[in-house]
């Protein structure tokens, strides 16, 4: 009888210990995911961010799809323990980088979005469509035109600038429903985007498929256009005279030219190493606390 009682006590103790270890592991994993999300969004606990909203085309209100997009962003912000302040695009007269900003709408209906595109995305060209047709997006030599209700495009960007280095998230779509599609894409894929890009800037071109039937739910990633959007389109220089082989035997290598692609890759590798070091330091500090 005593042996049976002792076995029961040991079983209960082992079960309690296992349950405690499992709870601690789940809590640590949840906190780590939360810290990763907060780092990616630039939203530590009790932080304040801006939700810059555009106006509805042809009116002074806000389109219903943009309202839905704001609701989805608000839920994401609340999960981080932060709070948001909604500002009209023509009233957001302040710099960027001091706090995280979510800017919604195209440049024709959002004055602040137009300023962000000129300042932060010099390689992106937006041509206003005639009449009520959507805008045309250009990256380098590629252009993307919308087919209403069938295939429409939206740019999802995470950019860092200013002194505070808090990110600016841009949801620049050809229609209001594409803005909602981009916010939903961010909410659904923020963990994967955080793993792939960390706290580095990125610019993604998304396509909303058959919105007249599926709404903002079916979204495809068309391309990562970060380099094309961040680098200003170079002015085309006048064509130089053809060099003489006798006077230029070494070609561009003899001139000591460097490979910009390799320099850019080295910079990205350094940024990744710096981010990993900062994340380990923050995790150790959080664990110690």
């Amino acid at each position: 009888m005593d042996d049976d009682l002792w076995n029961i006590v040991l079983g209960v103790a082992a079960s309690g210990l296992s349950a405690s270890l499992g709870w601690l592991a789940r809590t640590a994993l949840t906190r780590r995911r939360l810290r990763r999300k907060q780092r990616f969004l630039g939203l530590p606990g009790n932080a304040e961010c801006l939700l810059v909203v555009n106006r509805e085309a042809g009116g002074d209100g806000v389109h219903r799809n943009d309202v839905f997009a704001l609701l989805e962003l608000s839920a994401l912000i609340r999960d981080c323990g932060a709070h948001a302040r909604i500002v009209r695009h023509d009233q957001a007269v302040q710099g960027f980088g001091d706090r995280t900003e979510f800017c919604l709408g195209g440049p024709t209906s959002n004055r602040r979005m137009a300023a962000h595109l000129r300042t932060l995305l010099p390689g992106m060209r937006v041509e206003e469509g005639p009449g009520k047709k959507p805008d045309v997006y250009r990256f380098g030599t590629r252009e993307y035109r919308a087919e209403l209700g069938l295939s429409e495009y939206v740019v999802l960007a995470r950019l860092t600038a200013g002194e505070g280095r808090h990110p600016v998230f841009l949801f620049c779509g050809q229609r209001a429903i594409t803005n909602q599609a981009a916010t939903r894409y961010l909410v659904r894929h923020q963990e994967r985007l955080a793993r792939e890009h960390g706290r580095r800037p990125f610019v993604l071109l998304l396509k909303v498929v058959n919105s007249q039937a599926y709404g903002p739910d079916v979204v495809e990633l068309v391309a990562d256009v970060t380099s094309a959007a961040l680098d200003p389109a170079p002015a085309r220089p006048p064509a130089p005279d053809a060099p003489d082989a006798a006077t230029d035997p070494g070609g561009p290598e003899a001139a000591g030219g460097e490979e910009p692609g390799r320099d850019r890759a080295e910079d990205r590798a350094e940024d990744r190493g710096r981010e990993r070091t900062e994340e380990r330091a923050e995790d150790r500090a959080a664990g110690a606390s």
Side-chain angles (χ1 to χ4, degrees):
M1 184 67 183
D2 293 338
D3 293 339
D4 294 339
L5 181 61
W6 181 245
N7 291 332
I8 293 174
V9 171
L10 289 179
V12 171
S15 300
L17 181 61
S18 300
S20 300
L21 292 177
W23 178 81
L24 291 174
R26 286 194 300 270
T27 302
L29 183 60
T30 301
R31 290 180 178 176
R32 183 172 182 178
R33 287 179 176 173
L34 176 60
R35 289 195 299 269
R36 184 182 298 165
K37 179 188 295 187
Q38 290 175 334
R39 284 195 296 262
F40 174 69
L41 298 175
L43 293 174
N46 298 321
E48 183 186 67
C49 66
L50 290 181
L51 287 175
V52 182
V53 63
N54 61 342
R55 60 173 174 81
E56 185 176 3
D60 295 329
V62 180
H63 196 281
R64 62 189 300 269
N65 291 108
D66 290 332
V67 174
F68 294 151
L70 292 176
L71 291 176
E72 297 196 25
L73 289 175
S74 299
L76 185 64
I77 294 168
R78 186 179 63 249
D79 291 342
C80 294
H83 57 277
R85 183 162 64 93
I86 300 177
V87 183
R88 288 280 297 254
H89 70 103
D90 52 354
Q91 298 176 354
V93 185
Q94 55 186 294
F96 46 83
D98 292 335
R99 67 191 72 181
T100 298
E101 175 182 339
F102 300 88
C103 192
L104 195 71
T108 57
S109 61
N110 189 322
R111 188 183 306 171
R112 188 167 177 86
M113 177 67 74
H116 284 329
L117 295 184
R118 288 192 300 267
T119 305
L120 303 176
L121 298 180
M124 177 180 174
R125 296 289 182 264
V126 180
E127 298 180 3
E128 186 174 354
K132 295 184 178 180
K133 291 185 177 181
D135 299 333
V136 179
Y137 293 169
R138 293 183 182 273
F139 298 93
T141 59
R142 302 292 299 273
E143 70 174 29
Y144 300 90
R145 297 179 180 271
E147 297 181 24
L148 290 179
L150 297 178
S151 62
E152 296 141 325
Y153 297 93
V154 57
V155 171
L156 169 62
R158 181 192 188 276
L159 307 169
T160 52
E163 296 181 355
R165 305 294 291 177
H166 282 270
V168 177
F169 288 88
L170 303 182
F171 308 88
C172 181
Q174 293 174 328
R175 293 180 60 206
I177 196 169
T178 61
N179 299 330
Q180 183 187 359
T183 59
R184 186 165 295 181
Y185 185 90
L186 176 66
V187 171
R188 290 178 176 177
H189 303 283
Q190 53 90 17
E191 290 188 2
R192 177 176 60 82
L193 294 174
R195 288 194 302 268
E196 293 179 357
H197 302 281
R199 283 179 284 184
R200 299 183 304 277
F202 64 81
V203 184
L204 304 179
L205 181 66
L206 308 175
K207 181 171 71 173
V208 183
V209 179
N210 204 353
S211 62
Q212 62 185 358
Y214 305 132
D217 290 330
V218 182
V219 181
E220 297 178 356
L221 175 62
V222 178
D224 186 335
V225 294
T226 304
S227 58
L230 296 181
D231 297 334
R236 183 173 299 176
D241 297 335
D244 189 359
T247 58
D248 189 17
E253 295 180 357
E258 296 182 355
E259 299 179 13
R262 184 169 55 187
D263 294 341
R264 196 175 295 115
E266 293 176 355
D267 294 340
R268 287 196 295 266
E270 293 178 358
D271 293 340
R272 293 193 189 97
R274 191 179 305 111
E275 289 177 2
R276 293 194 185 97
T277 303
E278 293 176 358
E279 291 178 1
R280 293 194 190 98
E282 292 178 1
D283 291 340
R284 285 196 297 268
S289 61

